[in-house]
Amino acid sequence: MKLASSRDRAPGRPVSRQVLADHVYEELLAWLMDGRLEPGAAVSIDGTARELDVSPTPVREALARLEHTGMVRRVALKGYRVAPVFTREDFAELMEARLAIEPVNARLACRRLTPEGLADLRGAVKDLETAPRGPSFVEFRDYLEADERFHKLIAEQSGNQFMLAAYNALGGQVQRFRLFGGVGITDAEQAIAEHQAVFEALASGDPEQAAAAMADHVHKVRARAIADAPAD
Amino acid sequence: MKLASSRDRAPGRPVSRQVLADHVYEELLAWLMDGRLEPGAAVSIDGTARELDVSPTPVREALARLEHTGMVRRVALKGYRVAPVFTREDFAELMEARLAIEPVNARLACRRLTPEGLADLRGAVKDLETAPRGPSFVEFRDYLEADERFHKLIAEQSGNQFMLAAYNALGGQVQRFRLFGGVGITDAEQAIAEHQAVFEALASGDPEQAAAAMADHVHKVRARAIADAPAD
DNA sequence: AAGAGACCATTCCTATAGGATTTGTCTATG
DNA sequence: CATAGACAAATCCTATAGGAATGGTCTCTT
């Protein structure tokens, strides 16, 4: 694989405003989200550099950023590894945190909600409804993407940069759990209905109702996951 | 200034398990917390490398990590800058986020609170009471440190790694606000009393009371800051 | 005098090289 | 057979060099 280097670009059109480390970051993030990198797998700096046909320097910078998201962990002099699988305790903690943050996001977003924001949310819900939900990963990838996008849109439209930062501190982990947490994609019907409920509450303009709908959704996600969870 | 390089260490005692980039990260963080780097100031990669007598590579890695904390911002091909001063809106958003997160931390910490944890908290409150509070920075530096430590201890003792991550996403900003937000150190008496109230609520073992005390504290911090705020 | 263009110093960005550390394997010994 | 030690390959970590972009200054033109 070869990423476009900055000096490959035609002169006079440096509209990119992105450097190689940014591309590497996004590529690694995609690998993690795709499940191409399994939990616990080593992420070699030199190896990744060879794979992407760049030098180790931008790879090192990209991994330093990723570490702060919790997606990868670093051990000095030993390298980076994809964060390990979720335990049952990790999951309980994650849901506790989501319950503290996401209903607040919904309440705030309900206030400053613009017509454009509402349209974006409607689009995410639509995509969630129509996305294929086959057994293999490539088939429910779009479903997961729409799910994540819905929650992230709400965080963005809270209008609060710090709540967005707090959600992002969780967001990657939420996505990671969706991939590796064990609860496959068996709850699509109910999850879609709950997302619709959140959307309608937001559209209605009642902040408390929006917060309650979001809290209800997270509660039910937790309940379903616990019910489906394999016996560790 | 010269940081200890890994190959300066005597052979056979590599107990450090830290690499140069870690030292650079901590040094830069100290500079930011100390106020030695003012908001908006440029943080040159090469310049910092010369200052610390290391190569730009570890500096680059340290800054990549710092960017994710919000303490510095990066513009591609232009370099890093210390995040700009807080506006009144930024402050309002930060307090909103703290209200969403910190009372939950207090409630959780109140449950799993260990005797050691309680002792640590007591120590932080004591340090807050006894810290000097002179006009110059070096004189109230310990005060700010104890304040930050108290809140961080509660986040840690929530026992929830994600709530801790969410707080850390805010923590740096909270500290930054304390330094640059305008509200000097005029509210020490009241702030100390509120911290004592939070501590006693935690010690009493009533989670809801602990959450309420923390919410009350954040509310009052906000109220005082708004009252003291300079006219932009 | 005001603005446009060229030049230069500074800084960022990437690649490369080499030392330091870890890890796996292989052999020798008790 | 088990274990300790040595060797080798892979990897991480830091330094250095040079291309590329930016910002400021200076000069020239209108």
Side-chain angles (χ1 to χ4, degrees), chain A residues 126-214:
Chain A
K126 273 280 181 228
D127 292 346
L128 200 63
E129 294 167 4
T130 60
R133 305 193 286 277
S136 80
F137 172 74
V138 292
E139 291 180 286
F140 58 84
R141 164 186 183 153
D142 291 341
Y143 176 88
L144 292 179
E145 188 276 328
D147 189 351
E148 166 72 8
R149 178 152 45 94
F150 180 78
H151 288 271
K152 185 154 201 164
L153 276 171
I154 292 177
E156 285 169 356
Q157 288 167 19
S158 72
N160 185 317
Q161 55 183 313
F162 301 107
M163 291 304 295
L164 175 58
Y167 174 77
N168 280 334
L170 269 55
Q173 304 296 330
V174 172
Q175 184 73 346
R176 238 166 53 77
F177 162 73
R178 289 202 184 94
L179 289 173
F180 306 123
V183 52
I185 200 80
T186 61
D187 62 342
E189 300 304 328
Q190 297 130 41
I192 288 175
E194 289 159 22
H195 281 97
Q196 287 170 335
V198 172
F199 172 76
E200 283 162 19
L202 283 166
S204 79
D206 181 349
E208 294 314 313
Q209 191 183 337
M214 178 64 85

Side-chain angles (χ1 to χ4, degrees), chain B residues 19-21 54-58 77-78:
Chain B
V19 290
L20 222 40
V54 298
S55 81
T57 310
L77 303 180
K78 287 190 57 178

Side-chain angles (χ1 to χ4, degrees), chain B residues 11-85:
Chain B
R13 305 191 61 219
V15 289
S16 173
R17 289 294 167 190
Q18 256 196 346
V19 290
L20 222 40
D22 296 331
H23 290 289
V24 175
Y25 179 86
E26 288 168 13
E27 192 67 28
L28 280 173
L29 200 58
W31 287 8
L32 288 163
M33 295 302 191
D34 281 11
R36 206 179 319 180
L37 263 47
E38 292 182 9
V43 185
S44 160
I45 294 175
D46 292 345
T48 306
R50 283 192 299 273
E51 184 114 3
L52 297 176
D53 198 46
V54 298
S55 81
T57 310
V59 174
R60 179 173 294 278
E61 189 174 330
L63 281 170
R65 294 187 216 167
L66 269 178
E67 186 193 3
H68 230 286
T69 70
M71 306 280 288
V72 301
R73 295 174 195 278
R74 183 183 74 101
V75 177
L77 303 180
K78 287 190 57 178
Y80 290 89
R81 288 190 163 280
V82 182
V85 195

Side-chain angles (χ1 to χ4, degrees), chain B residues 172-191:
Chain B
Q173 304 297 329
V174 173
Q175 184 74 344
R176 238 167 55 76
F177 163 73
R178 289 201 185 95
L179 289 173
F180 306 124
V183 52
I185 200 80
T186 62
D187 61 342
E189 300 304 328
Q190 298 132 42

